[in-house]
Amino acid sequence: MAVAVIYGSAMGNTESAANIIADKLGISDVLNIADIDAAKINSYDKLICGTSTWGSGDLQDDWDSFDFSSLSLGGKVVAVFGMGDSESYSDTYCGGMGKLAQNLKDAGATLVGEVSTDGYNFEASDAVVDGKFVGLALDNDNQEDQTEARIDAWIAQIKAQFS
């Protein structure tokens, strides 16, 4: 079973989280979306994808310019994680993760790894569906002290689906 962690990162926070997640799950393939294409992504059985959020809830630039129409993820398990700033962008917190999840779902992915919004302080987010984040929401700008515990809790939740 081929599993990869794929990330888009401009400042390094999402890349760092991707490496921590991969390490904790024992995944050796950690790939920057800027360096791969849809064929590479399609070659994996399972994916964990991460993005930072820019501007008013936008995807990270490399994900934003990616051609999602070439993805074929039918029947594949995918989890998402995202970085956001819950204070400066409280009304669009982790919106990029919401957009990424929707694009992956539109490509046929079966999304796993929803996270409760409990303990987060924000006004609104496109990453919240039916009262939960579509994946792991992280905020290294304002809540870095919670990042490791949030990753650990999420790993415990999704581990069975990625091992």
Side-chain angles (χ1 to χ4, degrees):
M1 173 181 64
V3 182
V5 177
I6 302 170
Y7 67 89
S9 186
M11 304 299 291
N13 286 332
T14 309
E15 179 180 8
S16 176
N19 283 307
I20 292 167
I21 290 165
D23 184 55
K24 289 180 181 277
L25 285 170
I27 298 170
S28 58
D29 291 3
V30 183
L31 309 167
N32 187 332
I33 190 62
D35 301 330
I36 61 174
D37 60 12
K40 180 71 173 171
I41 295 173
N42 290 337
S43 73
Y44 288 95
D45 300 309
K46 297 182 179 194
L47 301 164
I48 298 174
C49 298
T51 185
S52 50
T53 298
W54 288 92
S56 297
D58 297 323
L59 274 171
Q60 185 270 344
D61 287 346
D62 298 312
W63 276 116
D64 194 45
S65 62
F66 184 77
D67 179 14
F68 287 96
S69 69
S70 299
L71 287 179
S72 180
L73 303 178
K76 296 184 182 189
V77 172
V78 177
V80 294
F81 67 97
M83 287 283 174
D85 181 336
S86 63
E87 289 183 17
S88 297
Y89 297 95
S90 182
D91 58 338
T92 58
Y93 178 60
C94 281
M97 177 174 65
K99 288 177 176 61
L100 178 60
Q102 188 60 55
N103 282 315
L104 297 169
K105 189 175 177 181
D106 290 347
T110 299
L111 295 178
V112 298
E114 294 177 330
V115 172
S116 171
T117 58
D118 293 346
Y120 290 88
N121 296 315
F122 66 99
E123 290 177 35
S125 175
D126 289 342
V128 175
V129 176
D130 295 331
K132 292 185 176 184
F133 286 111
V134 294
L136 174 63
L138 299 170
D139 180 353
N140 276 13
D141 295 319
N142 306 293
Q143 298 177 334
E144 187 173 12
D145 60 322
Q146 297 182 47
T147 296
E148 187 172 351
R150 286 176 173 165
I151 289 174
D152 287 344
W154 192 60
I155 295 294
Q157 178 186 337
I158 68 168
K159 187 171 190 160
Q161 292 152 316
F162 289 94
S163 54

